Amino acid sequence: DEGTDRYNEIFREWEEHNQDEIEISELYQNVLGFGKAYEIWWTEEGNGANVIIPNWKRIYGAEVYIKKTASLRPQKEAAVYMRKMGDELIADVFHPFRSERWRKDMSGKATEDRWIRDEEGSMEYPYSVVPVIEYTGNMYSNPLFEAEKKLIDSLDKLLSSSVNEVDRFNALIALFPGKVTKEFVDKLQELRVIDDLAEYENWPQYLEKSLEKINEFYNDLADRLERLFHKSIKVPDFSSEKFGSADESGVARAYKMLGLEFTASMIETYFTNALRERKQLLDDVMEASSITAPNTEDYKMVVSWKRNLPVDERAKAEIAMQLKGVVSDETLLKFLPQSIVDDPKKELERLESERQSNPLLQMGDMNATEE
């Protein structure tokens, strides 16, 4: 009931407090670029008496270590968040219900090289599980472009070589400046290092390298590497003239996107599992707070994903018209893009309300029944 949905109302307030849209976007970007992303949760006191507000924030993966059990389905036992601040190393060790802070002096001035417990930095919280979430996009926690690093490196080397060639061409190349002997010149000609040499007494001179067709060579090689890159990562080159041409059918375009869809589906599965861990943390805070909230067990978390892809609304509308009478009206409304119908059930309620308030529509329904 939207009028009494206190759980989601509280959750939306917490989402706004933690800028969650930006948070999830950054987590997703880290998963694609680095393979993993981590999120740490803690709490703070709110405005009311005993009101607790959860906080969550993305942190760098290199600063986190998670200890898990040795079972077939490993469970988190603890997590360590370590970072350097000034001349100190700070380590927060997270357990269920509590965290410990430890410090280590790295300035070289300390009398003892050991970790010291920081009681003020330690804290207690209502989380019944380790409040550190690990996000991944696949089984091996590889970045999206992990298998293509060699291709990327090759492209970088190619561009670097191209630039260096132009630099060398612009600067020309000095031919052994200074005094040389006839024997040295004869040896160069014998080895065919340089076929044609002027009078050696006139040196130093400069050899000009010909870069004829060099741009064509580098461009062809760069295009080949780029095609291999897109083929390997299964992401089409959306800037290519061959993608999405006017004479290409929607089915043909869909097949070109199939590899990307498989990749995106796998990432969604793993990322969604991590997002669902939030539910336990949210419930723990809600139950420990003095906020009057419904029974948290009555709620489940649903994670929905939306593609940022163009939709042929006209084609979908035509298909829906052809299916009229074959499937239910609710199914047809669900098939239409969200830009047309965002909530099929509410749309059906609106249609029914319009029929009830418009006699002409009711007569049309009666005629259809008589026929």
Side-chain angles (χ1 to χ4, degrees), residues 22 46-47 82 101 125 190 247 289 301 313 329 359 366:
I22 296 177
N47 297 326
M82 185 181 300
R101 175 164 293 180
Y125 39 69
E190 177 187 344
D247 58 344
S289 174
M301 176 178 286
E313 296 182 351
D329 289 343
M366 292 174 61

Side-chain angles (χ1 to χ4, degrees), residues 52-317:
I52 304 172
I53 298 177
N55 288 270
W56 56 86
K57 185 60 182 174
R58 174 191 59 85
I59 55 176
Y60 294 105
E63 300 174 332
V64 182
Y65 168 74
I66 295 181
K67 181 185 178 184
K68 297 183 179 180
T69 61
S71 59
L72 289 176
R73 288 195 176 94
Q75 302 295 319
K76 285 184 288 189
E77 287 185 326
V80 180
Y81 171 37
M82 185 181 300
R83 66 276 188 201
K84 187 175 182 180
M85 298 185 67
D87 292 331
E88 280 189 316
L89 269 181
I90 299 177
D92 289 320
V93 185
F94 292 88
H95 303 276
F97 301 110
R98 64 182 177 85
S99 71
E100 304 169 357
R101 175 164 293 180
W102 297 80
R103 296 177 179 270
K104 187 176 182 181
D105 192 323
M106 302 298 292
S107 65
K109 300 178 182 179
T111 56
E112 295 185 30
D113 183 21
R114 63 187 184 89
W115 289 93
I116 299 175
R117 176 74 178 271
D118 180 2
E119 295 291 347
E120 293 184 2
S122 303
M123 56 183 171
E124 295 181 354
Y125 39 69
Y127 300 128
S128 59
V129 294
V130 177
V132 178
I133 302 177
E134 180 183 59
Y135 295 82
T136 63
N138 52 65
M139 179 172 62
Y140 300 106
S141 301
N142 287 333
L144 179 60
F145 308 112
E146 177 68 26
E148 291 69 36
K149 282 184 176 179
K150 290 185 178 180
L151 287 173
I152 296 174
D153 291 342
S154 298
L155 190 58
D156 289 341
K157 290 178 181 178
L158 175 66
L159 294 175
S160 177
S161 298
S162 176
V163 172
N164 290 338
E165 283 295 327
V166 173
D167 288 342
R168 284 197 291 269
F169 176 73
N170 291 336
L172 302 180
I173 299 177
L175 285 180
F176 317 111
K179 184 177 180 181
V180 297
T181 63
K182 183 177 184 304
E183 289 77 13
F184 181 66
V185 176
D186 293 340
K187 191 65 175 178
L188 288 179
Q189 291 178 326
E190 177 187 344
L191 296 175
R192 301 184 65 84
V193 175
I194 299 175
D195 292 334
D196 186 19
L197 290 172
E199 288 295 330
Y200 59 88
E201 291 87 355
N202 297 332
W203 288 16
Q205 292 181 352
Y206 294 88
L207 171 67
E208 183 175 309
K209 295 183 67 176
S210 174
L211 295 182
E212 185 181 0
K213 296 185 178 180
I214 192 67
N215 288 335
E216 181 180 348
F217 168 76
Y218 281 125
N219 289 337
D220 288 345
L221 191 53
D223 289 342
R224 180 185 292 268
L225 287 173
E226 189 172 347
R227 288 195 301 271
L228 288 173
F229 173 77
H230 285 287
K231 185 176 181 180
S232 180
I233 65 173
K234 302 179 179 63
V235 177
D237 182 2
F238 296 105
S239 63
S240 172
E241 295 179 357
K242 296 181 180 179
F243 179 82
S245 57
D247 58 344
E248 192 174 49
S249 68
V251 175
R253 296 176 191 175
Y255 271 112
K256 287 184 177 180
M257 299 291 293
L258 190 59
L260 177 60
E261 287 296 313
F262 285 148
T263 300
S265 178
M266 178 179 61
I267 295 172
E268 287 178 8
T269 300
Y270 281 87
F271 201 91
T272 296
N273 285 337
L275 284 174
R276 285 176 177 157
E277 291 186 35
R278 287 177 159 198
K279 179 66 166 56
Q280 182 63 55
L281 301 173
L282 291 168
D283 289 351
D284 288 339
V285 177
M286 192 120 20
E287 292 170 0
S289 174
S290 63
I291 296 175
T292 303
N295 186 1
T296 56
E297 295 181 358
D298 293 339
Y299 289 78
K300 66 178 181 179
M301 176 178 286
V302 177
V303 180
S304 61
W305 294 80
K306 298 179 182 178
R307 291 285 191 273
N308 293 327
L309 295 173
V311 178
D312 190 345
E313 296 182 351
R314 180 178 178 179
K316 280 191 169 277

